[in-house]
């Protein structure tokens, strides 16, 4: 167990800024959130907090939303126990069930068993839900797949369950790598899991790339994704708000990606693109 800081962010107006705030906080080390009627509670390990990173967040400077915050130290919290108290199974269109080991199984649905270790991607966030929705309609049989920013590896696991011959899962955070190894074992699938970023990618190519990451990283890394995506291959993106889509598509169009399908859940979007033949 480790000491955490609890931040109480007051947000006006609440929507859609609470979700956007959580996405930005994840990028600077916050790993747990509770939604409140007037904002969010956000948690970060004390040793990882950098006040300058927080103050430099765009949301705290823009006039489009008013945000204030206070914080206090929360010592010796067992986050696994806290998570288990509040985690409910996620049902995606009565087809896919994302649950924990302590939830009863449902043999009528395709099940993915996830036990997060402070990793993003339980299925509760709309972007993970959107990725699973899109993946349900995609053909993974005998495909090589890359899951960038894998978090819990819920997407990588689902790709493998859907018949992918090889799945590589990469995340920048050590605990996500550890959690991915554990979750792969829980679901009895074989994944190649590594710690790193898009800069870690070599010359190996993939048929499908999954990336549920925030807009700034996507804009920076899409050229790299394209460089390791086979011609005719698919790139599935999320982590985007609806007002990010035009900026993302500008980058995609400039690098030979054609939009096939978009889906929206609340203010969040997912985009399925194909690398056009040269």
């Amino acid at each position: 167990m480790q000491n955490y800081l609890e931040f109480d962010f007051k947000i006006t107006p609440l929507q859609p800024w609470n979700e956007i705030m959580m996405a930005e906080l994840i990028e600077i080390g916050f790993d747990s959130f509770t939604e409140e009627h007037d904002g969010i509670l956000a948690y970060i390990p004390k040793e990882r907090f950098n006040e300058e990173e927080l103050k430099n967040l765009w949301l705290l400077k823009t006039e489009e939303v008013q945000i204030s915050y206070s914080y206090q130290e929360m010592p010796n919290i067992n986050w696994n126990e806290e998570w288990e108290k509040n985690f409910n199974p996620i049902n995606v269109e009565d087809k896919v069930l994302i649950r924990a080991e302590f939830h009863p199984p449902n043999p009528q649905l395709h099940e993915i068993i996830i036990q997060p270790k402070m990793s993003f991607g339980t299925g509760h966030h709309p972007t993970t839900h959107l990725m699973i929705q899109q993946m349900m309609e995609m053909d993974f049989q005998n495909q090589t797949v890359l899951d960038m920013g894998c978090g819990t590896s819920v997407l990588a696991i689902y790709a493998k369950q859907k018949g992918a011959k090889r799945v590589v899962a990469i995340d920048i955070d050590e605990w996500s790598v550890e959690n991915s190894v554990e979750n792969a074992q829980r679901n009895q699938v074989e994944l190649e899991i590594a710690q790193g970023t898009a800069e870690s990618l070599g010359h190996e190519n993939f048929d499908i790339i999954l990336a549920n990451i925030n807009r700034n990283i996507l804009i920076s890394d899409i050229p790299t994704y394209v460089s390791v995506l086979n011609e005719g291959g698919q790139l599935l993106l999320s982590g985007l708000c609806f007002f990010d889509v035009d900026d993302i598509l500008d980058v995609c169009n400039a690098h030979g990606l054609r939009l096939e399908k978009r889906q929206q859940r609340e203010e969040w979007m997912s985009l399925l693109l194909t690398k056009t033949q040269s």
Side-chain angles (χ1 to χ4, degrees):
M1 292 186 289
Q2 57 186 321
N3 287 16
Y4 269 70
L5 300 178
E6 178 190 69
F7 281 75
D8 185 357
F9 290 94
K10 305 298 185 185
I11 304 172
T12 306
L14 186 62
Q15 298 288 351
W17 304 105
N18 59 337
E19 293 279 2
I20 299 169
M21 188 69 190
M22 283 189 279
E24 289 209 348
L25 291 172
I26 287 170
E27 294 307 310
I28 61 171
F30 286 77
D31 54 41
S32 305
F33 304 94
T34 300
E35 296 190 52
E36 303 283 295
H37 72 280
D38 57 354
I40 58 174
L41 298 177
Y43 301 88
I44 185 172
K46 184 178 179 180
E47 65 271 17
R48 296 191 67 196
F49 176 59
N50 183 314
E51 190 169 8
E52 284 303 309
E53 288 183 334
L54 178 62
K55 289 181 177 179
N56 286 330
L57 291 182
W58 173 79
L59 275 186
L60 294 182
K61 298 179 179 180
T62 180
E63 295 181 358
E64 297 182 54
V65 57
Q66 299 299 314
I67 300 176
S68 61
Y69 66 87
S70 59
Y71 69 92
Q72 61 178 329
E73 187 169 345
M74 305 285 289
N76 299 327
I77 293 177
N78 187 323
W79 288 101
N80 284 333
E81 286 184 7
E82 292 298 310
W83 173 79
E84 289 186 8
K85 291 176 186 176
N86 298 289
F87 180 68
N88 295 313
I90 301 98
N91 184 325
V92 183
E93 294 188 358
D94 285 330
K95 295 178 181 177
V96 176
L97 182 71
I98 304 171
R99 68 173 179 87
E101 290 174 310
F102 55 82
H103 294 135
N106 186 335
Q108 295 181 331
L109 303 181
H110 182 108
E111 292 193 330
I112 307 171
I113 301 171
I114 295 296
Q115 184 90 6
K117 181 184 284 184
M118 300 188 298
S119 303
F120 181 79
T122 62
H124 286 93
H125 194 275
T127 58
T128 309
H129 196 285
L130 283 167
M131 294 289 283
I132 295 289
Q133 273 187 303
Q134 293 257 36
M135 290 173 68
M136 287 192 300
E137 307 301 322
M138 296 168 63
D139 182 9
F140 285 86
Q141 197 67 38
N142 294 320
Q143 303 292 290
T144 56
V145 179
L146 170 65
D147 181 6
M148 281 301 305
C150 61
T152 63
S153 275
V154 61
L155 305 180
I157 291 166
Y158 189 39
K160 191 68 175 178
Q161 290 174 336
K162 283 177 65 68
K165 67 180 178 183
R166 183 163 175 261
V167 180
V168 176
I170 296 176
D171 200 284
I172 193 172
D173 290 314
E174 181 179 357
W175 67 74
S176 291
V177 173
E178 294 173 356
N179 193 210
S180 292
V181 171
E182 295 166 356
N183 287 329
Q185 292 171 346
R186 287 185 176 95
N187 290 273
Q188 299 181 326
V189 299
E190 183 178 340
L191 305 178
E192 297 177 30
I193 302 164
Q195 185 174 359
T197 65
E199 295 179 357
S200 310
L201 298 175
H203 301 291
E204 177 188 2
N205 279 31
F206 298 90
D207 300 310
I208 298 172
I209 298 177
L210 312 169
N212 183 16
I213 312 176
N214 75 58
R215 69 175 297 278
N216 293 333
I217 294 177
L218 289 177
I219 287 173
S220 173
D221 289 351
I222 282 171
T224 303
Y225 301 157
V226 173
S227 73
V228 297
L229 183 63
N230 288 326
E231 289 191 358
Q234 294 177 300
L235 174 62
L236 179 59
L237 305 175
S238 194
L240 313 168
C241 285
F242 62 90
F243 48 75
D244 296 324
V245 170
D246 288 344
D247 291 339
I248 294 292
L249 288 180
D250 285 345
V251 178
C252 291
N253 292 334
H255 289 85
L257 293 168
R258 180 181 66 244
L259 179 64
E260 303 290 349
K261 185 177 181 181
R262 69 174 78 194
Q263 285 189 309
Q264 183 166 355
R265 184 176 177 85
E266 300 170 10
E267 65 270 19
W268 298 93
M269 302 289 297
S270 65
L271 306 175
L272 177 63
L273 305 111
T274 298
K275 183 175 179 178
T276 56
Q277 303 289 333
S278 60

